[in-house]
Amino acid sequence: METLGKYFIFLSRLFVNRETFGTYFKLVVDECITIGINSLFLVSLVSFFMGAVTTIQTAYNLISPLIPDYVISLVVRDMTILELAPTIIGVIYAGKVGSSMASGLGTMRISEQIDALEVMGINSASYLVLPKVIGSLLMYPLLVILAGLLSMLGGYLAGTFTGVISPTEYVYGIRFDFNEYMVTFAIIKSFVFAFLVASISAFKGYYTTGGAVEVGKASTAAVTQSVIAILTADYLLAQLLLQ
């Protein structure tokens, strides 16, 4: 409870004694490049093969002649939009971006750079962390949309090249009985996950104490707690929004 209270107090500090809009604009753009652009390759690679593997495994399990082939791509579509794109990519996002945030802020803390900002009268929490949170909220939903697209593209290519489903049936299954609310649900989850990963990772890094060993521990704790928060939020959002 003490840590949870400290976390909420930390969040409240992000919105007091802020800097000018121009300062934050430049910082947010830098964070968007670091968070989004630098994560494109990893997210694209994982998403593509995630869709390909899901297609092959779904086809392997649907062995009944009574089940039409287009059900394969329908399953891939629903799994990708509802769970794989926002949640699995969220775990990878926590491992790559979250650990980087925690280690960066932890290094600044133990090298007394954060203390120097405080001495200069700058709200270090707002100056250092708020751009990271905003950049995460801006870029992660875009990464989820890209992941969903590439996952279904990977499934299309895998299903076509292996012959488990024809291109026409795959496209038909993708379009069959489509519920637009699934996309809305995925975008809502992506915003929640983006905030959790950025805020928890920044919190763990900002309050690092000790030396280089503690920076590593803070980075590990940031990833672990971010993943736990993602999975917990995933269940709660599904319970609230899909009932």
Side-chain angles (χ1 to χ4, degrees):
M1 293 301 294
E2 179 183 354
T3 303
L4 187 62
K6 191 176 181 180
Y7 171 72
F8 283 113
I9 293 174
F10 171 74
L11 292 181
S12 67
R13 288 187 58 195
L14 303 183
F15 303 99
V16 297
N17 191 23
R18 297 184 302 274
E19 301 299 315
T20 62
F21 175 81
T23 301
Y24 282 115
F25 181 80
K26 182 179 183 301
L27 292 172
V28 169
V29 171
D30 292 338
E31 292 298 335
C32 286
I33 295 173
T34 302
I35 292 171
I37 305 301
N38 294 344
S39 301
L40 279 177
F41 176 75
L42 180 61
V43 170
S44 301
L45 185 66
V46 171
S47 303
F48 184 85
F49 284 101
M50 184 171 62
V53 171
T54 304
T55 300
I56 300 302
Q57 291 184 347
T58 304
Y60 173 78
N61 287 280
L62 294 179
I63 58 176
S64 174
L66 300 178
I67 301 177
D69 288 342
Y70 71 81
V71 174
I72 296 173
S73 57
L74 188 149
V75 172
V76 172
R77 179 199 70 193
D78 290 348
M79 288 183 63
T80 297
I81 296 176
L82 289 176
E83 197 63 27
L84 295 180
T87 306
I88 302 302
I89 298 302
V91 174
I92 296 171
Y93 183 77
K96 184 182 186 302
V97 176
S99 62
S100 176
M101 287 184 182
S103 60
L105 289 172
T107 302
M108 294 184 70
R109 171 63 74 182
I110 65 171
S111 61
E112 299 182 351
Q113 296 180 53
I114 294 179
D115 296 331
L117 289 174
E118 296 287 348
V119 170
M120 294 167 60
I122 297 174
N123 181 358
S124 59
S126 178
Y127 181 79
L128 296 174
V129 177
L130 187 58
K132 298 182 186 299
V133 174
I134 296 175
S136 182
L137 290 172
L138 290 175
M139 297 308 296
Y140 183 65
L142 298 179
L143 290 176
V144 169
I145 294 172
L146 176 66
L149 174 64
L150 291 178
S151 179
M152 286 184 271
L153 177 61
Y156 174 85
L157 295 177
T160 301
F161 289 153
T162 57
V164 298
I165 183 173
S166 67
T168 303
E169 289 178 320
Y170 188 91
V171 173
Y172 178 77
I174 290 291
R175 301 175 64 183
F176 180 78
D177 195 25
F178 179 65
N179 183 5
E180 294 86 353
Y181 181 71
M182 290 193 300
V183 177
T184 304
F185 177 65
I187 297 300
I188 292 173
K189 288 208 299 186
S190 66
F191 277 110
V192 174
F193 295 167
F195 176 79
L196 289 174
V197 170
S199 60
I200 292 174
S201 300
F203 171 73
K204 299 302 294 185
Y206 187 83
Y207 287 106
T208 301
T209 57
V213 175
E214 281 70 22
V215 173
K217 291 180 179 179
S219 178
T220 303
V223 175
T224 304
Q225 294 181 15
S226 294
V227 170
I228 294 174
I230 284 174
L231 297 177
T232 304
D234 187 29
Y235 169 76
L236 294 176
L237 289 171
Q239 186 70 27
L240 290 172
L241 300 178
L242 294 182
Q243 291 294 319

